[in-house]
Amino acid sequence: MNIITLPEVDSTNTYLRSTLPDAPHGTVVSAVSQTAGRGQRGNSWEASPGLNLTFSILLRPLGVSALQQYAISEAVAVAMVETLRAILPMPERVAIKWPNDIYYEDKKISGILIENSLIGTTIERSVVGIGLNVNQEEFHSDAPNPVSMARIAGRQFNLDPLLHEIVTRILARVDLISDDRGKEEVSRLYHDMLWRRHGYHPYRLPDGTRFQAAIQGVAPTGHLTLLHTDGTLSTHAFKEVFSIL
Ligand code: BTN
């Protein structure tokens, strides 16, 4: 396994993209400390130095076109859930909050930031950045609901074996999506692992409108379809609808 560990870097995603753009499939950059860890929607990612996993994997996925890029997100999220379910108590509490946050019950344990470089309809490379809260017990940023493995399990975890396990599972799941059957299998696993996948739950639109809806499905494009209490359906891209906790 090709893992580069840096004591300090601004962001492992930025480093892989700007310093190692030609690295081979499977190259991992892991940081003890990130000075400018990036999250989704322009947010920052909080992680106390040395206590958590903050790393990025460079992927050159075969058999995944630009239109199918959401399959990468599904494969990575499934691999994260599989890893955490094998370690944490009450594993069924680990779930994927659409599109790819990893939750333990109603709290976020891991975030994923995927940055794809496309050439025409081909994915030239995909930089998959993962922050996993491992041994940190206190969180100070304004992230609404963080939790860590240590908080859940009441013990500390060794970071290196955990990183190996996650990378192994991610590479296996990314291998699988190289053909249609594998994509369908990973997508089925992803749907089965979705947080709040049963029953009606509260949602909010960017304009503040609130409503109850049930998850109908996630399309191969990544769009979320919701079933409303009056029987109508609505479809949303990322950032177009939010779960209310
Ligand atoms: C999110 O907002 O949920 C995504 C968080 C992703 C954080 C990880 S930490 C390693 C990698 N480098 C970054 O700058 N961000 C990702």
Side-chain angles (χ1 to χ4, degrees):
M1 202 172 276
N2 182 11
I3 299 182
I4 299 159
T5 302
L6 304 172
E8 187 176 279
V9 70
D10 51 356
S11 149
T12 55
N13 265 41
T14 309
Y15 184 88
L16 252 184
R17 289 173 62 191
S18 57
T19 312
L20 298 174
D22 299 323
H25 176 77
T27 302
V28 178
V29 171
S30 175
V32 176
S33 170
Q34 285 190 130
T35 54
R38 294 187 289 115
Q40 292 154 1
R41 286 180 250 125
N43 292 330
S44 59
W45 181 255
E46 178 194 352
S48 294
L51 295 182
N52 303 294
L53 286 179
T54 47
F55 65 98
S56 303
I57 311 179
L58 189 138
L59 301 174
R60 299 184 187 279
L62 295 173
V64 185
S65 72
L67 284 174
Q68 297 169 322
Q69 58 189 289
Y70 196 69
I72 302 171
S73 189
E74 291 187 334
V76 173
V78 164
M80 287 301 293
V81 170
E82 288 174 332
T83 309
L84 293 174
R85 282 189 178 171
I87 299 172
L88 292 175
M90 290 183 261
E92 69 288 347
R93 292 184 175 182
V94 184
I96 301 163
K97 178 170 171 283
W98 176 83
N100 61 11
D101 284 345
I102 309 300
Y103 264 44
Y104 188 86
E105 279 199 300
D106 288 347
K107 293 188 155 73
K108 181 162 168 172
I109 189 167
S110 176
I112 300 170
L113 178 68
I114 300 181
E115 297 177 304
N116 294 330
S117 313
L118 309 178
I119 297 182
T121 56
T122 308
I123 300 174
E124 191 223 349
R125 64 171 190 270
S126 176
V127 173
V128 174
I130 296 175
L132 171 63
N133 301 329
V134 184
N135 293 323
Q136 185 166 344
E137 306 258 2
E138 304 290 334
F139 295 87
H140 308 287
S141 76
D142 52 5
N145 53 351
V147 73
S148 65
M149 294 176 67
R151 283 288 284 264
I152 292 163
R155 69 177 177 92
Q156 302 280 296
F157 293 84
N158 288 332
L159 296 178
D160 284 348
L162 187 57
L163 176 60
H164 274 80
E165 181 68 22
I166 292 170
V167 172
T168 303
R169 287 191 192 256
I170 288 176
L171 294 177
R173 288 306 182 195
V174 169
D175 264 4
L176 198 57
I177 58 169
S178 61
D179 63 29
D180 288 348
R181 256 182 76 173
K183 284 187 192 74
E184 278 162 27
E185 185 181 338
V186 167
S187 186
R188 186 181 48 75
L189 289 168
Y190 173 88
H191 278 80
D192 285 349
M193 291 172 173
L194 278 175
W195 183 71
R196 292 185 172 175
R197 70 188 178 287
H198 297 302
Y200 285 82
H201 298 279
Y203 290 87
R204 177 176 57 79
L205 296 177
D207 70 4
T209 311
R210 289 168 175 244
F211 57 94
Q212 296 274 329
I215 293 178
Q216 176 86 5
V218 179
T221 54
H223 289 71
L224 175 71
T225 299
L226 294 174
L227 171 65
H228 295 244
T229 46
D230 64 1
T232 58
L233 296 174
S234 62
T235 296
H236 309 266
F238 181 45
K239 298 182 218 174
E240 285 180 4
V241 70
F242 306 98
S243 283
I244 299 174
L245 287 167

